[in-house]
Amino acid sequence: MSGVITAISTGAAAFSATNIDDLVILTLFFSQVNVKFRKWHIILGQYAGFTALVMVSLPGFFGGLILPRPWIGLFGLIPIIIGIKTLLNSEDEESEEVDTNTETSHESLLAKFFNVQTYSVAAITFANGTDNISIYVPIFASSNWQSLLLILGVFFLSVGLLCYVAYKLTHNQAIAHLFTQYGHRFMPYVLIGLGTFVFIDSHSLSLMNLLNR
């Protein structure tokens, strides 16, 4: 019984310590929901990105090796590219008229998953969570099958809770007004800053020295 409690508490502590910064990003995303960018895109993207982080960390459980951190840091380029693209297209999107009546509301789960918006959220979630890998690997490595499954269960339940909290935050009048009115303006800069931090913090610049040799 103590092993179950330990595994659950370990999973909750690890998730809280490594994903609290995602709350801001998710709140930004939910504040930008419209006919093209649905809340399902955000939820599925968050789960897809987090699942990728778990998959990259799982070799620690089997005692194998993972990609060197500088190579993982290259994923920081993804939010940078998305941020620049959003910044360049922001004026076009503001002037674009969207007919809400022509947008289908009966999108299948498969269609929601295989969607560029979902992939964008997943990529940003993964890039923002590259530091998580250094925490998850030793936790997984020190776990047995039972504790690993419990920890993963806590992780994936917590992802849903995190999405719910972020979504509810956008219903707070003050927060909703701030993010709705100004979120689209500073979102590109948040993504570019996030990607730059991940790239530099992961020492990915060292790869350039290796390539120049």
Side-chain angles (χ1 to χ4, degrees):
M1 186 65 181
S2 60
V4 173
I5 296 175
T6 300
I8 292 175
S9 59
T10 298
F15 186 90
S16 299
T18 56
N19 290 277
I20 193 65
D21 53 335
D22 278 358
L23 186 62
V24 177
I25 302 296
L26 284 171
T27 305
L28 268 172
F29 278 139
F30 279 118
S31 69
Q32 305 303 309
V33 167
N34 53 38
V35 294
K36 289 186 176 180
F37 188 45
R38 304 297 185 105
K39 60 179 180 291
W40 282 110
H41 297 149
I42 301 169
I43 296 170
L44 289 175
Q46 181 71 14
Y47 266 104
F50 185 79
T51 300
L53 288 171
V54 170
M55 294 299 292
V56 172
S57 304
L58 274 178
F61 176 77
F62 299 102
L65 298 175
I66 60 173
L67 285 173
R69 193 177 179 193
W71 286 99
I72 294 175
L74 293 177
F75 283 96
L77 295 174
I78 296 174
I80 294 176
I81 293 171
I82 294 174
I84 293 174
K85 182 179 178 181
T86 303
L87 193 62
L88 293 176
N89 294 340
S90 59
E91 293 183 1
D92 295 336
E93 291 176 357
E94 288 177 0
S95 61
E96 197 175 276
E97 292 291 334
V98 178
D99 185 1
T100 59
N101 293 326
T102 61
E103 183 74 18
T104 178
S105 60
H106 300 287
E107 205 175 6
S108 68
L109 181 62
L110 192 63
K112 290 172 183 174
F113 189 81
F114 291 102
N115 187 288
V116 67
Q117 286 89 344
T118 302
Y119 286 147
S120 296
V121 175
I124 292 167
T125 299
F126 186 89
N128 189 40
T130 50
D131 283 345
N132 301 17
I133 298 171
S134 61
I135 304 297
Y136 296 164
V137 168
I139 291 176
F140 293 167
S142 61
S143 302
N144 55 35
W145 277 106
Q146 182 185 28
S147 60
L148 176 67
L149 292 176
L150 286 171
I151 289 171
L152 292 180
V154 171
F155 277 3
F156 285 100
L157 286 174
S158 298
V159 171
L161 179 61
L162 189 69
C163 291
Y164 177 78
V165 172
Y167 179 70
K168 283 298 183 182
L169 280 175
T170 60
H171 287 73
N172 178 284
Q173 187 173 1
I175 295 177
H177 177 75
L178 175 65
F179 280 89
T180 302
Q181 293 296 319
Y182 304 105
H184 67 285
R185 296 182 181 178
F186 57 80
M187 181 69 161
Y189 300 103
V190 171
L191 296 179
I192 294 171
L194 169 64
T196 302
F197 173 79
V198 169
F199 186 80
I200 294 175
D201 188 60
S202 299
H203 305 290
S204 298
L205 288 173
S206 63
L207 294 175
M208 296 183 179
N209 296 328
L210 294 176
L211 294 174
N212 290 330
R213 289 180 182 178

